[in-house]
Amino acid sequence: MPKEARYRAIARELAQRIESGDLPPGSRLPTEEALADQYAVHRLTARQAMVELRTTGLVETRHGSGSYVRAVQRRFEVAIDPETRLHRPGVADAVAARFTGGEELRAAGLREDPAGARALGLVGDEVWEVATLLRMDAVPCVASRYVLPPRLADLAFEPGEGLLGALRRLGHDVRYRSHTVSADLAGLEDRDALQAEPGSAVLVREGLLVEDEQPLCRVVRRCRGDLVAFTTHYA
């Protein structure tokens, strides 16, 4: 029986540690130099072991950061009331509980966005944009962009309630008018926000929220395709 290649043996040992939970999702793996020292092998052998782990989908390499144990994809079950077009009671809280730390504010400010302004029926091109981030097991997985009328520039929200929760808390009776789901390839912005490898799959969810049938908020969510999937029920 042929002897197992050294790089495969290293990859198999690391894979066993990942599958046992000894190396949980999000854990940073040793560098190639450190692996070479640990297993007393050439650095090229350590590199081959890392390639083997990436090929099996257990590990991902983040540009300029290192190699990490990949989190498994989680499927979110979302129940929608077809009459109100809102999440059924308790569903939003259940979905939010799957994320760690709540909705993080990344940036907020006025910007020129002709397409967003048209979607909201605004005069001029200026909108108020809020960018947020959601994580699972400390790994960024959903980057959201909310486009609002400038009059809502003073809107504040807590991580636990999110921006849409803040709108409802302040008395805005919002509901979705439309929802579009598409796929895209990760770009440089996705690399920075989601730590997604350029060219990897990104799930894009776009929605338009209305109040009294008047557009109030355009939402664009970019989700890492390897981490997040959604199932929507309308019954």
Side-chain angles (χ1 to χ4, degrees):
M1 184 175 180
K3 185 178 180 181
E4 182 179 33
R6 186 68 175 129
Y7 77 91
R8 288 187 182 276
I10 295 171
R12 178 171 51 78
E13 181 177 323
L14 290 172
Q16 289 173 346
R17 293 183 62 193
I18 291 171
E19 291 166 354
S20 70
D22 183 40
L23 290 172
S27 298
R28 183 177 180 179
L29 294 176
T31 64
E32 292 175 2
E33 294 89 340
L35 281 177
D37 289 341
Q38 179 181 344
Y39 289 97
V41 296
H42 194 277
R43 180 175 172 180
L44 290 178
T45 302
R47 179 174 299 175
Q48 284 182 295
M50 295 305 296
V51 170
E52 186 83 358
L53 289 173
R54 285 196 295 271
T55 301
T56 61
L58 291 174
V59 168
E60 62 182 350
T61 298
R62 301 173 190 169
H63 180 76
S65 178
S67 296
Y68 295 80
V69 177
R70 173 172 283 175
V72 296
Q73 187 187 65
R74 297 188 184 182
R75 183 171 298 276
F76 292 85
E77 302 283 337
V78 181
I80 301 294
D81 187 315
E83 296 297 325
T84 65
R85 290 172 278 169
L86 297 175
H87 292 127
R88 291 194 180 278
V91 170
D93 292 340
V95 171
R98 302 283 296 277
F99 298 101
T100 50
E103 192 166 18
E104 303 173 20
L105 177 65
R106 295 182 59 231
L110 291 171
R111 67 173 296 229
E112 299 289 322
D113 182 358
R118 284 196 302 271
L120 298 181
L122 301 177
V123 176
D125 296 336
E126 199 170 60
V127 300
W128 181 256
E129 182 178 286
V130 178
T132 68
L133 186 67
L134 291 170
R135 302 174 185 267
M136 289 190 302
D137 300 320
V139 178
C141 57
V142 180
S144 299
R145 185 165 61 90
Y146 300 91
V147 178
L148 301 153
R151 62 184 172 84
L152 293 176
D154 60 349
L155 179 68
F157 68 94
E158 297 295 329
E161 69 175 351
L163 189 137
L164 298 185
L167 284 173
R168 294 179 179 125
R169 173 174 53 80
L170 294 175
H172 294 283
D173 184 17
V174 292
R175 62 187 65 196
Y176 279 102
R177 172 186 287 177
S178 62
H179 231 136
T180 302
V181 180
S182 59
D184 195 9
L185 297 179
L188 296 180
E189 289 187 10
D190 299 305
R191 183 192 70 186
D192 294 338
L194 298 173
Q195 299 177 355
E197 283 296 303
S200 60
V202 174
L203 175 68
V204 184
R205 292 166 56 90
E206 301 178 64
L208 183 64
L209 285 153
V210 298
E211 182 176 33
D212 297 328
E213 298 307 318
Q214 297 300 311
L216 185 69
C217 178
R218 181 170 181 259
V219 186
V220 180
R221 304 191 195 279
R222 296 182 68 84
C223 315
R224 279 184 51 168
D226 60 332
L227 298 182
V228 177
F230 293 92
T231 299
T232 304
H233 301 280
Y234 292 93

